[in-house]
Amino acid sequence: MKRSLITAALLAIAVQIIPLPAAAEDKAVVDAMESYLDFVDYGGATIFPEQIPKDDWKKFFVIDARDKEQFTKEHIPGAVNIEWRRTLAERSRIPKDKPVLLYCNTGSLSAQAGFALRVAGYENVRILQGGFAEWKAKGGLDAAEKATAPAKH
């Protein structure tokens, strides 16, 4: 226990003293991000829950980008759990031949994961606007049907 605390303290000091190479200094990384930003659509590949008819959900490879605990508690049916930080590391699990839909609680972390995937060449990625919270509030899998239903007076 004492040895691991000493090791952790030395690593923390080393990180502060010895600067790690920043991705921003890697011209290829910066060029890829710049190229993506030049041509990405205004919405950044977002899609609203009410834009997806119930039968179309099965056409998506749905990724719940939240942590395992949140995923286990509740998630969109059929979703797989790949935490947002792990999307690039686990990209071999993510298909390029069908639409991919990423979500987190509100859409901000899944947007970061989606950005990384899009820069890495995944043009089939969409972000669920508003995340799980908005999906639930708008009716879940029935959001499209509820959005187009006649108003009840």
Side-chain angles (χ1 to χ4, degrees):
M1 173 95 169
K2 196 175 198 178
R3 175 179 258 164
S4 62
L5 288 174
I6 293 170
T7 303
L10 289 174
L11 282 172
I13 292 168
V15 167
Q16 292 176 2
I17 295 172
I18 305 167
L20 299 174
E25 294 175 9
D26 186 338
K27 183 170 175 18
V29 171
V30 173
D31 288 348
M33 289 188 293
E34 183 178 33
S35 176
Y36 170 80
L37 291 172
D38 282 344
F39 295 101
V40 69
D41 54 333
Y42 179 75
T46 58
I47 189 168
F48 290 87
E50 61 270 26
Q51 291 178 285
I52 307 171
K54 187 173 188 171
D55 290 340
D56 286 359
W57 280 92
K58 60 184 169 239
K59 296 176 183 175
F60 284 93
F61 183 81
V62 181
I63 299 173
D64 184 320
R66 302 173 303 158
D67 64 40
K68 189 174 188 165
E69 184 179 313
Q70 291 174 317
F71 176 80
T72 301
K73 185 177 176 184
E74 62 180 340
H75 58 270
I76 294 174
V80 297
N81 184 221
I82 302 175
E83 188 178 354
W84 70 277
R85 288 184 182 102
R86 301 282 311 148
T87 52
L88 284 180
E90 297 186 36
R91 67 187 175 275
S92 63
R93 295 175 55 193
I94 303 170
K96 285 191 169 184
D97 61 347
K98 72 185 292 186
V100 173
L101 181 67
L102 276 152
Y103 73 91
C104 60
N105 285 319
T106 62
S108 61
L109 296 177
S110 54
Q112 292 180 52
F115 174 74
L117 286 170
R118 301 258 320 216
V119 169
Y122 284 79
E123 296 179 16
N124 57 330
V125 174
R126 300 291 175 263
I127 310 305
L128 187 63
Q129 182 71 35
F132 188 72
E134 191 167 319
W135 175 82
K136 269 181 78 171
K138 289 186 173 179
L141 296 177
D142 296 320
E145 184 179 326
K146 288 185 178 211
T148 58
K152 295 180 183 178
H153 297 282

